[in-house]
Amino acid sequence: MVEEVLNLSRTSSPSVVGLAPQRLTEVKVGTEERLPMQNTEFARVLGGGVVPGSLVLIGGDPGIGKSTLLLQVSKEVAVSGPVLYVSGEESVAQIKSRALRVSNDGHPAENLYLATETDVDRVIGQIESVSPRLAIIDSIQTVQAGDIASTAGSISQVRECALRLQAVAKSSGVAIFLVGHVTKEGAIAGPRVLEHLVDTVLYLEGDPYHSYRLLRSVKNRYGATTEVGVFKMGSSGMVEVANPSEAFLAERRSDAPGSAIAVTMEGSRPLLVEVQGLTSPTSFGHPRRTANGVDTNRLLIITAVLTRRVGIQLSDQDIFVNVVGGLQVKEPAADLALAAAIASSARDRALPPDLALIGEIGLSGELRRVPQLEPRLREAVKLGFSSVVLPKRAEERADLPSELKLHEMAGLSEALEFALQS
Ligand code: TYD
Ligand code: MG
């Protein structure tokens, strides 16, 4: 139960008319200017850069690197105009020492203003006095409106503060980023209530034990929603990963059984990932299925299909599956690679090192087609793969890369038979 506090002091009478309705044909469209920045991964996820007057929510688990990334972004935007960084979590000295750590030239940005303020109206006052191009509120859970009785971070506070900041963004043209901590359990409370209110929602995700971080856009009024940026958290902040597939495959032992290469799509960008499978005799009667980086239900389905349709005996085997690099692969197009990794470990036979696998698996053991085949195959060529197992295509397409040997298979058992024959 969440207490909703009515704010009776603000009365709005419906008779006060603002702007009269306009004809669509008469509406003027400004050229959608973007703030200049060098961080191309970040700009790409936003659909080309920060739009003035936009309100952007950046969510993620605590400690994942939101403050670090935004401090780097503020430095870049500060090259061309003032930026205000408001932190309710850290002291100015802490922010400065972090800024020095992540700055590649050892100089803090001239035009970067810091403030530690938690009252939303005073934050707005500071935005008005600095009049920055970009203001960052780190985090929305620490700011509060004094006239609302509930504590900072509660739903009424978070929503009210965001509404007030939105009004400032729209009227003054300053872009405002709101940082929101999202805990895995508390998905309902907190910043999720803001998703419909802001223009853009980005989530920064990644395994805290790995250095890769994915910045994903889940809502964007100024660009495609499926964009993903890949970063690596290093000792001097977040570094863009220009070629993520290469990074994720760097430590692969291609002669080991249980390793298969999937070609997944992260937004509009193809990504080659290594899926590892390990089967090992069960010692306590009940076989275990452990999935790391893939959905456990997906693993259970594929295990059942492998048992029933391919005839691989797995009922006395523990199965462990892992996606290298701490990635989460949700796409069904990785099914075939997952099945191949398990079968390869069960048969103790390595897959060909230059083979990638694409395809969704159906319950009757059929291979189903996946979208965006062409960019997937191009990425496989780029990384030096020479053959791909994929589902049978409906029509011949001439524009698929000719460097690849395409092995089209209708069913899982023939695909595995082919892949494991060597
Ligand atoms: P932070 O940006 O504070 O996370 P958030 O704002 O999302 O809570 O990042 C915190 C973690 O990042 C912390 O564990 C230390 C690590 N880190 C690095 O590895 N390298 C760096 O250069 C910096 C600044 C932080
Ligand atoms: Mg932080």
Side-chain angles (χ1 to χ4, degrees):
M1 301 292 278
V2 180
E3 184 192 8
E4 281 277 339
V5 185
L6 286 181
N7 194 348
L8 294 174
S9 62
R10 286 190 307 154
T11 49
S12 65
S13 98
S15 62
V16 181
V17 183
L19 289 170
Q22 275 178 292
R23 282 181 207 272
L24 183 60
T25 49
E26 288 163 9
V27 174
K28 290 196 184 60
V29 199
T31 48
E32 217 173 70
E33 180 212 351
R34 310 258 177 171
L35 302 185
M37 60 194 302
Q38 288 169 341
N39 197 319
T40 49
E41 286 287 296
F42 192 85
R44 201 166 52 79
V45 177
L46 281 175
V50 182
V51 179
S54 63
L55 189 66
V56 179
L57 172 68
I58 299 184
D61 290 331
I64 205 76
K66 299 181 293 298
S67 306
T68 307
L69 181 63
L70 289 180
L71 203 55
Q72 292 175 253
V73 168
S74 7
K75 183 176 176 187
E76 286 180 23
V77 176
V79 173
S80 59
V83 173
L84 176 66
Y85 189 104
V86 182
S87 177
E89 303 189 333
E90 291 159 300
S91 70
V92 185
Q94 274 174 315
I95 302 171
K96 169 142 193 196
S97 70
R98 189 205 302 252
L100 288 176
R101 189 170 157 194
V102 301
S103 113
N104 34 18
D105 52 9
H107 294 293
E110 192 68 40
N111 264 330
L112 182 53
Y113 293 81
L114 301 180
T116 49
E117 182 57 71
T118 55
D119 184 274
V120 70
D121 294 317
R122 286 210 289 270
V123 169
I124 290 171
Q126 289 174 342
I127 293 179
E128 277 158 5
S129 71
V130 175
S131 68
R133 309 191 78 178
L134 171 67
I136 291 166
I137 315 295
D138 188 1
S139 64
I140 188 67
Q141 277 120 320
T142 55
V143 290
Q144 53 183 326
D147 48 348
I148 291 193
S150 53
T151 53
S154 67
I155 291 186
S156 3
Q157 281 286 6
V158 164
R159 192 166 44 205
E160 180 62 29
C161 293
L163 278 170
R164 289 185 197 181
L165 290 163
Q166 183 190 37
V168 175
K170 298 297 164 218
S171 62
S172 67
V174 49
I176 299 186
F177 285 5
L178 308 175
V179 175
H181 294 298
V182 185
T183 53
K184 285 199 178 65
E185 301 76 31
I188 308 293
R192 288 264 161 128
V193 300
L194 301 178
E195 282 188 354
H196 67 279
L197 188 145
V198 299
D199 297 313
T200 303
V201 180
L202 307 180
Y203 277 102
L204 186 63
E205 50 185 56
D207 184 340
Y209 300 105
H210 286 87
S211 51
Y212 292 108
R213 300 284 182 268
L214 264 64
L215 184 69
R216 206 183 280 280
S217 101
V218 296
K219 166 181 173 178
N220 195 353
R221 290 188 181 146
Y222 306 106
T225 48
T226 48
E227 284 304 336
V228 172
V230 183
F231 296 90
K232 190 172 180 162
M233 177 66 109
S235 56
S236 56
M238 302 270 261
V239 185
E240 298 175 30
V241 179
N243 195 342
S245 299
E246 211 168 270
F248 287 124
L249 299 187
E251 291 168 66
R252 180 180 179 218
R253 259 195 66 194
S254 49
D255 57 342
S259 157
I261 300 299
V263 191
T264 68
M265 294 298 293
E266 287 290 353
S268 60
R269 148 194 276 193
L271 199 60
L272 268 74
V273 292
E274 179 185 356
V275 183
Q276 298 181 326
L278 179 67
T279 60
S280 142
T282 304
S283 35
F284 301 108
H286 185 69
R288 298 181 49 179
R289 275 84 180 91
T290 308
N292 199 355
V294 293
D295 182 33
T296 310
N297 284 327
R298 207 73 213 161
L299 170 61
L300 295 179
I301 291 172
I302 289 171
T303 307
V305 175
L306 280 171
T307 309
R308 284 294 310 280
R309 309 289 180 209
V310 188
I312 298 178
Q313 190 45 256
L314 294 167
S315 60
D316 55 351
Q317 299 282 322
D318 291 341
I319 302 177
F320 305 92
V321 170
N322 180 38
V323 178
V324 173
L327 280 184
Q328 289 285 333
V329 178
K330 301 199 179 83
E331 225 201 352
D335 284 358
L336 181 58
L338 184 60
I342 297 170
S344 157
S345 175
R347 299 254 158 94
D348 208 19
R349 238 188 214 186
L351 295 159
D354 55 354
L355 177 76
L357 301 112
I358 302 172
E360 177 178 348
I361 296 174
L363 290 189
S364 27
E366 80 276 22
L367 279 191
R368 300 184 151 267
R369 284 195 288 273
V370 302
Q372 294 169 290
L373 198 54
E374 196 195 328
R376 293 181 207 258
L377 296 180
R378 298 216 176 278
E379 182 77 359
V381 171
K382 211 167 94 192
L383 281 139
F385 286 81
S386 64
S387 65
V388 171
V389 177
L390 71 171
K392 270 217 174 352
R393 282 171 297 152
E395 81 272 19
E396 276 301 321
R397 291 223 351 233
D399 49 353
L400 294 182
S402 56
E403 299 92 326
L404 277 178
K405 282 201 269 315
L406 302 180
H407 305 283
E408 295 181 35
M409 305 283 172
L412 175 61
S413 37
E414 48 174 307
L416 291 182
E417 197 179 316
F418 168 79
L420 290 170
Q421 73 193 348
S422 45

